[in-house]
Each structure stands twice: as C-alpha cells, then as structure tokens.
Amino acid sequence: MIRFTKLLQSQAKAIYLIFVLIAILGILAYGNVPSGVYPELSFPRIAVIAEAGNVAPEQVVLTVTLPLEAATNQVYGVQKVRSKTTRGSTELSIEFQPTTDMQQALQQLQAKINEVRSTLPSGVNLTVERVTPAIFPVLSYNVTTDTLAQTDLYSIAKYQILPRLTKVAGVALVNLQGGNIPEVEVQVDPNRLQNYGLSLSQVADTIGRSTQNQAVGKLDSNYQQNLVVTNGQPIDSSALTGIVVTTKGAGKPVFLEDLGQVSLGEADRTQIVSAKGQPGLTLNIFRQPNSNVVAVAEAVQQEIKLLEESLPPGVQIAKAYDESGLVVDAIANVRDSIAIGIVLIIIVLYVFLREWRSTVIAAITIPLSALAAFGVLSFVGQSLNLMSLGGLAVAIGLVIDDAIVVIENIDRQLQKDLDSTTAVAAAMAELTEPVISSTITTVAVFLPLGLLSGVAGQFFTSLTTTLTAAVGFSLVLALTLTPLLAASWLRQKSNHSEPKLLVKLDNAYTGLLRVVFGKARWIGAIALSLLAVGAVLFTQVGSDFLPTFDEGSYIIDYLTPPGTSLTETDFLARQLEEIIGKTPEVINWTRRTGAENGLFATQPNKGDIIVVLKPPGQRQRQVFDIIETQRQDISKKLPQVDIDFHQILQDELNDLSGAASPVEVRIFGEEPAILRKLAEQVQTIIDNIPGLVDLVSSGGVILPQLDMRVDSTQAGQLGLTESDVAQQVQDGLFGRVATQIRQGDKLVDVRVHLLDSVRRDPQQIDQIPIVGTNGTTLPLSALATIKPTTGEEAILRENQQRYVSFTGGVEKRDLGSVVQDIKKKLAGFKLPQGYILSVGGLIASQQQSFSQLLMVMGLGVLLVYLVLVIQFRDLLQPLVIFTTIPLALLGVVLSLWITQTPLNVSSFMGIILLVGLVVKNGIILLEYTNRLHSEGHSIESALLEAGRVRLRPILMTTLCTILGLLPLALGLGAGAELQKPLAIAVIGGLSLSTIFTLIFVPAVFRIVSRFQR
C-alpha cells in the first residue's frame, strides 16, 4: 500500500485536476438537466376515444365499442381492455404487458383500428394516443373579460392567444376549453316550412349552394390568363337573408328571411368554464416529453406578458394552475434538507475527530459525490425530480461512510507516531477490502430493482440511480482523494490524548462485551423476545401504495344526478364554487362543467374544479384538513351531488396507472337490471365503512330519454326510410352547418335549425314537419310515436364482459385497512350464478409492487451474501452478520408504528436499503476481528479489540446516516413526504441494528467460532 500511496502522491496534480473536471461537469449537468415533479414515466397503456355524435350508449356499444374491442384484442401483448361507453362516445383503455415496446404497440393498434374503421358508423371521430404524463397539462391560464362579449373573447383566445403560446419552446399543445363559440343561427319557423313544403335539409342545401366560391373557367386577354371565379361567400350574416330558397306561385321568390330569422349568436354549449365564478375559458398547456417544466412555464409567462400588450382592453389572462411552482418549491425543500443534513454530519465529524483538517477531508466527499450523481443523471437522460433528488438526499449520509472509516483509521495510525505517508498506507492496507465490500453491498441490494415494474418501479429507479451513483463515486473518493489529502494535510500526532468521554465510551463498550460473552443465552432470549414483540406490532402497522404529500392544489370531481342537463349542472356547480370561495386558504379555482382534466370523454352532468391554495407558509391547515372540511360542507348543502377529491398529481398518476381511485369494487355479469340491483345492495353494505369517502357508482345508473319509434309503413308512403325521418328530426333539433361566412381572416359556421322555442320544448317535438320526396308534409306524430323511457348512463366493460363499479377514496385511515374491512363485509355476500365481485383500485398496484419488492429484497439478500462470502471466504461468517437483519426489521416496525406511518412502497424501499446498510458495520467489525485472530489473538480478545477500535467509525457512520436522513424523516416542505417513510424506516432499522451489531454479532461470532474449531 506504500507504493500505491506514493503513486497517488506522485500524480496528485493530475488526480486533483480530474476531480475538478468532474465537479465542473457536474455543475454544468445540474444546470442542464430538465426538472419535473416526477420522473419521465412510461405506462403500458393506450387510450382510444371515439366520438359518435349524440347516440344512446346501447347503440354505441353495438356499432362502435364492440368492433373496437375486437380489433384491439388482436394486438400482440394486450393484457386487458376496458371500455366506458356513454352518450355518443366510447373510451377504451388498452393495457399491455409491462415489457411491451409501446411505440410498436401503438402502430399495430392503429393498423388494426384502421381495418375496422370502414365498418363504423359514418362521422365517428377516433383519437388513439399513448397514455403518458403528456396528456395532462402542466400549465393552465384562465381568460376572462368585463367588457367584451363571450363570443369575442373566444375568438381572441383561439386566434390571437393560442397560436402564440403554441410556438413557445417546449410546448407541445395548447388546448382551449369552454367559451362561447360564435355562430350564425338560422332559426326556421316550422309552420312556414310546412306552408312552403320545404324541409330543413333543403333550406341548408340551398344556403350551401348559394354561398360557394369556385373557379368556373379561364380566359386569355391581353396576353394574360384570367381565372373566372364565383364569389358567393358572404361576409356578414345579413347577406344571408336575401338568399332565394324556393319560388311560389308564378315564380315569386321565397327568401330565407321569409322562413325565419338570421342572427349572429353562439353554438349550443357542451361545456362551461368559469374562473373564480366569472364566465371565461381555459387554456391548457401541455409540454413536450423530456422538456424542462420550469423553463417551459417561464417561457410561457414571458410570452403572455408580451401578449397582454396587444390584447383589447378588458381582457385578463390569469394563471389557474402551474406545476412548475410545485417543482421549484419541492426541489428547494429537498435541497434544504440536503444542506441541513450536511451541517449535522460535519458537526458529528468534528465531535469525533476533534480536528478540522480531518473533518474537511471527509466532508468534501459529499459535494463531489452529489456533482458526480448529477453528471450520471444527465448521461442516462433522467430529470431532476423529487425522486432523483430524494435519492441524493438519502445518499448524503451514506457517501461519507467510506471516507469516515478511512480518515478515522488514518487518524488512529497517526497517533502511533507514524509519518503521514506510512499512516495512510497502513490504514489503506487494513481497510481497502472491507470498504469495497461494504459499499458493494449497498449497491448490490438495488441491482434487482430492474425487475420492478409499474409506477413504483419507475419512481424508485430514478431514486436508486442517483443513490448508487453517489455511493459508488464516494468509494472512488475514499480510495483516492481521501488518502491523498490525508497524506498531504495531516501530520503525526505524538503525545496525543484522547477525549475523556470517548475513552469512557470505549471502556464501557469493552466491559459490556465481556458481560455479553458470559450471558450469551440471555442475549439470545432477549433477541427472540424482541422479534416476537415486532411481529405483534407489525399487525398494527397499516399499508398503503405511494406516500401522499401536500401539493398545494387539488381537484374536486363532481357528478350530478343522472340525466341532469348542462344548465342545471352549471347551477349546482355554482353552489359548489360558493363553498370553495368561503375557504380562507383558497386563492384561486377554475370550474369546468361537461369537461375535465386529461384525455377523457365527459358527460354534461359531470365536471371538475381545480382549487389552488395559498403557499404552506401562509396557511395553518394542510390540504387534507381543508379537503375534509369542504367535503362535509358540500355533503350538507348539496347531498344530491357526488364528489371525489384528489390532489392533482395524485389524480393524474392514478389515471395514468389505470386505477382512477384508491378503492374500486366491481361486479361482473350480463344482465344490466341484475347488476343494478346487486350494486344497490353492495353500496348499502360498504357505505359506512370508516375511512371510505367519496363513494361514486358507475355503470349501474339509468338516464331519462325520449324513445322515437318510426312507422316504416307510414314513412314509406312519403318515400322516406326510418333513417330519412331521423335525419330530418336531427336537423331540426341539433341543426346542420350549411356554410360559413368570413369575418376578417376567420370563418364562422352558419347553422340551420328550428326555432329555439320549438326545438327546446319537449311538447312540440311531435309537431316537427317531415317532408316526403313527393312534397307532402306531415307532422312527426303522423309517422312516429314518442314516449318517455330510460337508458343507461354508461356501459362499462372489461375484457368484453360488462360490469358496474364503485370507486372511493381513503381518508384518515390506511388503504390496506379500509380494503380489509370491505372484504370482510362482502365476504358473506351471495351472488347469482355467473356473477363475480372483485375489490381493486390502487390496492392491486400495491399488492403487485409489494410482491415484486419482496422478490427484489430476496435477490438483494442473496447478492449481499455472495459479496460477503467473497470477502470472508466463508459461508458461516456472513450468516453471523445476517442475524442483525431481523432485528433491524424490528426497528423498522417500531419506527413505523410510533410515527403512525403505513408500510408503503417508500418504506419498503427503506427496508431494502437497510439490508445493504446493516451488514456494512458487521463487515468492518468482523474483518478486523479476523485480521487480529490471524495475528495470534484469541477469538475473544480479537473481538474485544476489534470492538474497541471499530466502535467510533461505526458510531460515526451510523450517526451521519441518521442525521443525513433526519430532515427527510421530519417531512418538512413540499415533496418531502415522498421520502419520509423511507427515511423513517432506515433510521429506525439502522438505530437498532447498530446496537445489535455491536452486541449481538460478537456474541454469535464467538459461539460460531467455537463450533468451527
């Protein structure tokens, strides 16, 4: 090792330069790595949205849903196909196997859908998209006005604001929701139609033919070619009134104004948007994949400032939602946690080392390891997010472990009156192998994480990337830079006196070991008793999927009673807004009716409200408490409205993973009536389970509708088919776009329909005039019967089997306990033959992740065992170290139970990390024991001496790890809650495991050594 030390010293300048370059590259990488709340997630799901007009769900299922389901099931790798069919639309969610190449799957799916497209009804619009975070906006802006008409506001937003924002770097799409779309209305009097023997379709066709622009020929004149064109397109709605629709009597023209009224109005609204109760519209901004959320938000805000200068007076653009704010706050909080951890670690180092040079040499490992991790993030193409920064925060207490062990041993060698070069060589000769082995064990436990799929796998792959990069680089530093700096900065310490407190600690520990060696059976009994206590406590620890944190914003999904009109839903939603507006912590909200967040088909009785709260420092209550209060207020004032609260990012993650709610109870079967009856019974059973909130049923609800039955014989006498009659009724009620007028550089639709007073009155529907091919006009009542009936609100299917479902959230209880209660209450529920009940939601993702994490932990333990066998060249000694793992789990259970933290994916990751950590101290202790034993010491004296020598580095590394994790365990600031369970698990497990490593491992090793002899 002297040669290696001298080699390091001879190349000191080159080594310093290398690490300076690495630090510079790390700083550059930190500035260029894109930032976001979560890692760039990829989901094995594709969504297919089909818009089929205003058709009953039963008809849409037969003509659209079934053909699409059949086509998608033929694609390779499909695991599950879910469909939700509502009036005029169907939404398919196709889930693939986790290992599927999704780009190839998308192409194959599009090809299969194209094969059946010709069999679908005409006019069906299809959207096929991968389900990625890109389907959700990262920014939303509300556009309102106090001075302009809402139709003018829509035009400004669509033609002035939207194009400018679309061009901003990093923006993929800008979507406009709400607003009053300008439209020229031609309202025709049905009585006049009947008088002139005209149908609406004839009127619309005449308008279309009369307003065409087309080329009719070419003429050469004066050496030039002139194009002859007709210019019939009107530039004003008044120009339409003079169109001749037909003639009467002796060629007397019948003008359009003779049939009804022409006016500039607005299209029938299908969605309503309000900003803090004021009518307006919303611009949702979607970022490009792998773009920087913060940079995109800043660029958009800058563009809006420029836009505001050119907008008409009275137009306001206000930010409704900004994901980048959470990103900035969360990253800043994690960064602060790292800084606090570093300060605490430096204090511990100085207390033990009592020398500032040694403290600096060890502490310099932290920033260099962090910068190296940023470089790795940039190299592998990952973003700076809560998980990657969380991995770095976790690593802060670990990266210094190797440097501590090395510098402490060098310090001990210097106390033997050795010169710095010899002391460094002696220390490195002792520690190179155990330091390498102990670091490899930390990294090895994470290697099987590649087998972890789903959201949890992608989340914690990002965390482990930075953690392993930082820990791995810290090993390089401990073997190169740390000894090099120690050889240059530290000097021999003759006549050095140890602090009395540390000497007393050494003596107390040695005395305790002697007592333990004489009471081995008692120690074993105590350990078994503690394990029994841990097993009992484990039953009291709840379970969950992913940790939740206060995002500072949330969504209220609301659903009014089945069949509620858009107008009535708007009235009820305004009352919801009143409740929200009275909440002091709320600073902004945006309400959508007939629309919602993401790529989903929405009904007119459904919508959502995005609520933004004051920053955490300006409010006393957390988001969870605010939600609970609002839930109670809404339930009292509007009991007829179903509500579902979600934090925005949590809601998006649930939607992306295919589990829209934490709890979902589904009943599968064929007969809708039986399913509805079973659903009512199930709802009665589970409705009052503690912790189960926002229970909403789907698929078992009926809607009011009017059933029109056309008499084919009567229609035939007019030369019409049933479809012809239906088309004329549709033209009268929904209207038909006949042409467009030009307003500047914009085109405005001209829609022809019956008078509003007629088409919106159910009592006058049967008087709609139907014109036959022979010119005969009869009222609809002569050709068809119309009677009230009911239809299904939505038809839910999974793998081509119908089901109804209940979805709900969890409040003030853990997910596992709530699901367990649901299963208990439904255990005795009897189902008819052929009907199946299942309980799913996020609990399915939790169970899948837990089973995979158990496998990962098992493989990690095997890899760690392999490393230990290589290190000790023995099969039994590694098992001695492994005896601390069950006792470390006791510490995990105890810490989770005390802090009321559920066992979730984050705390499970802490357990896996703990497996690699608890063996590190054992390696350092037993390796030196073996070294002393090989030099002639007895087992007992070797254990006593090794314990005395290794006590300080073990305590130092443990304290540094714990204090490095302490800010995360306290969960201070936005986003810290994601790593909080992990930190709590590691702190609890490491605290107890260190005690047992120092006491239990020597005792067991002493017993095993006797048997080996």
Side-chain angles (χ1 to χ4, degrees):
M1 272 297 170
I2 289 184
R3 288 183 181 179
F4 179 71
T5 305
K6 289 183 176 179
L7 176 63
L8 289 177
Q9 290 177 318
S10 66
Q11 297 295 331
K13 293 180 180 178
I15 293 172
Y16 290 150
L17 182 59
I18 288 172
F19 286 119
V20 168
L21 289 174
I22 290 174
I24 292 173
L25 291 174
I27 293 171
L28 293 174
Y30 177 77
N32 294 321
V33 171
S35 57
V37 178
Y38 294 139
E40 290 292 337
L41 302 172
S42 176
F43 296 84
R45 288 180 62 216
I46 295 176
V48 178
I49 306 293
E51 299 288 346
N54 291 275
V55 184
E58 296 85 351
Q59 186 67 21
V60 178
V61 164
L62 294 175
T63 59
V64 180
T65 307
L66 291 179
L68 290 177
E69 285 182 348
T72 55
N73 272 304
Q74 296 176 33
V75 179
Y76 177 75
V78 170
Q79 189 168 286
K80 184 191 300 179
V81 177
R82 277 192 181 186
S83 68
K84 178 182 179 181
T85 305
T86 57
R87 282 182 178 176
S89 66
T90 185
E91 172 191 328
L92 272 69
S93 173
I94 301 100
E95 186 176 324
F96 290 80
Q97 294 173 0
T99 56
T100 303
D101 182 338
M102 291 308 298
Q103 194 58 40
Q104 185 177 3
L106 178 62
Q107 295 172 356
Q108 292 177 354
L109 184 63
Q110 288 172 331
K112 288 295 181 184
I113 288 176
N114 286 333
E115 290 178 7
V116 300
R117 189 184 288 266
S118 60
T119 66
L120 302 178
S122 60
V124 172
N125 296 319
L126 289 172
T127 302
V128 183
E129 283 193 26
R130 283 187 59 188
V131 177
T132 68
I135 69 172
F136 294 103
V138 295
L139 285 165
S140 293
Y141 283 86
N142 291 330
V143 185
T144 57
T145 182
D146 297 324
T147 57
L148 302 179
Q150 289 297 311
T151 51
D152 293 335
L153 184 68
Y154 178 88
S155 297
I156 291 169
K158 183 175 182 179
Y159 297 108
Q160 293 185 41
I161 302 174
L162 189 147
R164 292 274 296 272
L165 296 183
T166 304
K167 295 177 182 178
V168 173
V171 172
L173 173 70
V174 180
N175 164 252
L176 192 154
Q177 286 183 316
N180 296 358
I181 304 173
E183 188 174 80
V184 175
E185 293 185 280
V186 179
Q187 298 192 42
V188 181
D189 188 329
N191 295 323
R192 297 182 187 180
L193 279 180
Q194 188 168 1
N195 291 339
Y196 292 116
L198 295 171
S199 66
L200 271 178
S201 60
Q202 291 172 325
V203 176
D205 291 341
T206 302
I207 295 173
R209 290 193 301 269
S210 303
T211 56
Q212 289 183 351
N213 285 347
Q214 61 183 7
V216 297
K218 298 177 182 178
L219 292 175
D220 291 339
S221 175
N222 297 327
Y223 310 105
Q224 293 179 325
Q225 187 180 73
N226 297 284
L227 185 65
V228 183
V229 298
T230 64
N231 189 0
Q233 188 173 55
I235 59 174
D236 187 80
S237 59
S238 61
L240 296 172
T241 59
I243 292 175
V244 177
V245 180
T246 186
T247 57
K248 181 181 180 183
K252 182 181 179 181
V254 176
F255 298 103
L256 183 59
E257 63 182 352
D258 296 329
L259 299 176
Q261 57 192 38
V262 180
S263 61
L264 184 61
E266 58 188 49
D268 291 344
R269 291 194 294 177
T270 58
Q271 52 184 233
I272 298 171
V273 170
S274 73
K276 296 185 73 173
Q278 182 180 2
L281 47 85
T282 295
L283 292 167
N284 299 309
I285 300 166
F286 302 79
R287 69 181 178 93
Q288 296 173 356
N290 300 311
S291 60
N292 191 319
V293 174
V294 177
V296 170
E298 290 175 350
V300 169
Q301 184 62 38
Q302 187 64 33
E303 187 65 28
I304 285 177
K305 287 182 179 178
L306 297 175
L307 263 170
E308 288 175 331
E309 298 174 1
S310 60
L311 293 177
V315 176
Q316 294 96 31
I317 305 177
K319 188 181 294 182
Y321 172 68
D322 184 0
E323 187 178 296
S324 71
L326 178 61
V327 174
V328 172
D329 292 343
I331 289 177
N333 285 321
V334 175
R335 188 177 61 234
D336 292 345
S337 297
I338 292 173
I340 294 170
I342 291 174
V343 171
L344 295 175
I345 288 169
I346 290 175
I347 292 173
V348 170
L349 291 176
Y350 188 79
V351 167
F352 276 89
L353 297 176
R354 299 297 235 175
E355 213 270 332
W356 70 266
R357 290 187 181 89
S358 299
T359 301
V360 171
I361 292 171
I364 203 171
T365 304
I366 299 175
L368 288 176
S369 298
L371 291 172
F374 292 138
V376 171
L377 275 183
S378 178
F379 179 76
V380 300
Q382 289 199 17
S383 64
L384 201 63
N385 53 70
L386 288 179
M387 301 310 297
S388 56
L389 269 178
L392 189 59
V394 172
I396 289 304
L398 306 180
V399 296
I400 204 170
D401 283 3
D402 294 339
I404 286 174
V405 173
V406 168
I407 201 72
E408 192 277 339
N409 203 9
I410 292 173
D411 186 73
R412 188 167 56 82
Q413 299 296 337
L414 288 171
Q415 293 176 28
K416 296 179 180 179
D417 208 18
L418 299 176
D419 64 84
S420 58
T421 302
T422 306
V424 168
M428 296 307 295
E430 273 189 22
L431 290 175
T432 298
E433 284 190 17
V435 164
I436 292 174
S437 298
S438 62
T439 303
I440 290 176
T441 58
T442 304
V443 175
V445 292
F446 290 119
L447 291 180
L449 274 177
L451 302 174
L452 192 61
S453 62
V455 177
Q458 295 177 73
F459 258 50
F460 289 95
T461 296
S462 182
L463 181 144
T464 55
T465 298
T466 49
L467 194 153
T468 54
V471 170
F473 191 73
S474 73
L475 174 63
V476 176
L477 291 171
L479 298 179
T480 55
L481 187 62
T482 299
L484 181 59
L485 291 174
S488 302
W489 291 8
L490 303 183
R491 296 292 178 263
Q492 61 189 97
K493 299 180 179 181
S494 37
N495 300 321
H496 175 76
S497 60
E498 291 284 343
K500 292 182 180 180
L501 180 62
L502 295 180
V503 172
K504 289 181 178 180
L505 182 64
D506 291 344
N507 294 334
Y509 174 58
T510 305
L512 178 62
L513 276 184
R514 288 193 175 95
V515 174
V516 168
F517 290 160
K519 304 287 185 180
R521 292 182 180 179
W522 283 102
I523 297 299
I526 291 172
L528 291 174
S529 301
L530 289 174
L531 289 176
V533 171
V536 173
L537 285 180
F538 181 73
T539 61
Q540 305 301 312
V541 175
S543 65
D544 217 327
F545 181 42
L546 289 172
T548 57
F549 64 97
D550 187 339
E551 299 176 18
S553 57
Y554 56 94
I555 285 182
I556 307 174
D557 291 324
Y558 59 89
L559 182 68
T560 58
T564 305
S565 67
L566 184 69
T567 304
E568 179 63 18
T569 303
D570 177 49
F571 172 73
L572 295 172
R574 286 200 298 270
Q575 297 180 58
L576 288 175
E577 291 186 84
E578 290 177 6
I579 295 173
I580 294 168
K582 293 177 181 177
T583 305
E585 293 88 352
V586 172
I587 58 172
N588 198 5
W589 73 87
T590 303
R591 189 256 299 179
R592 292 177 286 209
T593 302
E596 60 182 320
N597 194 32
L599 181 71
F600 306 103
T602 309
Q603 304 156 56
N605 67 323
K606 187 177 182 182
D608 62 23
I609 303 174
I610 298 177
V611 183
V612 180
L613 303 176
K614 295 177 181 178
Q618 299 178 21
R619 52 185 165 93
Q620 299 296 321
R621 295 188 296 174
Q622 280 199 317
V623 63
F624 312 105
D625 302 318
I626 296 168
I627 285 175
E628 179 60 27
T629 301
Q630 289 186 351
R631 179 184 288 116
Q632 294 174 3
D633 292 343
I634 293 171
S635 298
K636 291 177 183 176
K637 186 173 182 179
L638 298 167
Q640 72 273 38
V641 178
D642 290 328
I643 53 172
D644 190 5
F645 286 84
H646 295 284
Q647 294 197 78
I648 294 178
L649 293 175
Q650 174 197 340
D651 185 40
E652 292 177 2
L653 273 179
N654 293 349
D655 287 333
L656 289 168
S657 60
S661 297
V663 178
E664 183 178 19
V665 179
R666 289 179 288 167
I667 309 170
F668 292 86
E670 290 300 323
E671 290 296 327
I674 296 177
L675 285 174
R676 285 195 292 270
K677 183 178 179 181
L678 293 173
E680 292 173 0
Q681 296 172 1
V682 168
Q683 183 172 12
T684 303
I685 293 173
I686 67 174
D687 206 14
N688 296 318
I689 289 178
L692 181 62
V693 296
D694 303 339
L695 196 63
V696 178
S697 63
S698 300
V701 180
I702 57 174
L703 297 176
Q705 65 184 37
L706 295 176
D707 189 17
M708 185 179 78
R709 300 275 180 175
V710 178
D711 188 324
S712 57
T713 303
Q714 294 292 333
Q717 292 177 0
L718 296 182
L720 302 175
T721 64
E722 295 180 33
S723 178
D724 295 331
V725 175
Q727 184 61 54
Q728 290 195 39
V729 175
Q730 182 176 328
D731 290 345
L733 299 180
F734 287 125
R736 177 194 289 192
V737 176
T739 187
Q740 292 177 315
I741 66 170
R742 191 176 67 191
Q743 290 186 340
D745 57 352
K746 302 184 291 291
L747 294 175
V748 177
D749 288 342
V750 176
R751 184 178 296 273
V752 181
H753 55 71
L754 295 177
L755 291 172
D756 287 343
S757 59
V758 175
R759 70 188 184 108
R760 291 174 178 166
D761 184 358
Q763 304 300 322
Q764 297 191 53
I765 289 179
D766 60 357
Q767 298 304 309
I768 293 176
I770 306 298
V771 182
T773 56
N774 56 6
T776 304
T777 302
L778 291 175
L780 178 61
S781 59
L783 304 176
T785 57
I786 301 173
K787 58 181 180 181
T789 184
T790 57
E792 295 186 78
E793 178 193 40
I795 299 174
L796 307 180
R797 290 163 57 87
E798 180 177 308
N799 293 334
Q800 300 183 331
Q801 188 175 11
R802 182 190 285 256
Y803 71 91
V804 296
S805 73
F806 293 95
T807 57
V810 175
E811 194 75 34
K812 296 183 178 179
R813 283 190 76 190
D814 63 279
L815 177 62
S817 299
V818 171
V819 171
Q820 191 175 10
D821 284 354
I822 291 173
K823 289 181 176 179
K824 283 181 181 179
K825 288 210 168 190
L826 294 176
F829 184 69
K830 293 183 179 180
L831 293 165
Q833 187 174 0
Y835 289 77
I836 301 171
L837 186 146
S838 69
V839 180
L842 285 183
I843 191 69
S845 301
Q846 174 199 313
Q847 291 170 345
Q848 179 187 9
S849 297
F850 277 17
S851 62
Q852 290 179 347
L853 285 168
L854 277 172
M855 179 182 66
V856 166
M857 187 170 71
L859 292 174
V861 168
L862 290 177
L863 288 175
V864 170
Y865 182 69
L866 175 62
V867 172
L868 295 183
V869 169
I870 295 172
Q871 167 66 34
F872 291 106
R873 301 171 183 84
D874 188 271
L875 295 175
L876 284 179
Q877 289 190 14
L879 295 178
V880 172
I881 297 176
F882 271 26
T883 57
T884 58
I885 293 179
L887 297 167
L889 294 180
L890 167 64
V892 172
V893 172
L894 191 61
S895 62
L896 294 179
W897 179 71
I898 291 173
T899 59
Q900 293 296 296
T901 303
L903 178 65
N904 51 38
V905 174
S906 178
S907 50
F908 214 131
M909 286 294 297
I911 295 172
I912 293 174
L913 174 61
L914 197 61
V915 171
L917 292 180
V918 297
V919 300
K920 291 183 68 172
N921 293 334
I923 292 173
I924 300 297
L925 180 62
L926 292 192
E927 191 279 336
Y928 193 54
T929 301
N930 288 333
R931 181 184 292 272
L932 293 174
H933 183 54
S934 65
E935 293 173 358
H937 288 73
S938 66
I939 289 294
E940 186 166 327
S941 64
L943 285 169
L944 291 172
E945 178 62 14
R948 186 189 67 79
V949 171
R950 296 298 190 224
L951 174 63
R952 294 184 196 179
I954 287 175
L955 291 179
M956 289 169 67
T957 56
T958 300
L959 283 173
C960 285
T961 300
I962 290 173
L963 292 176
L965 290 171
L966 186 60
L968 291 180
L970 295 175
L972 303 176
E977 292 95 333
L978 281 176
Q979 287 83 35
K980 182 178 179 179
L982 183 151
I984 290 173
V986 172
I987 289 175
L990 191 59
S991 300
L992 274 188
S993 72
T994 300
I995 296 172
F996 286 112
T997 297
L998 292 171
I999 296 174
F1000 197 70
V1001 168
V1004 175
F1005 185 80
R1006 180 169 171 268
I1007 295 171
V1008 170
S1009 298
R1010 288 180 180 176
F1011 285 108
Q1012 283 185 315
R1013 291 200 300 269

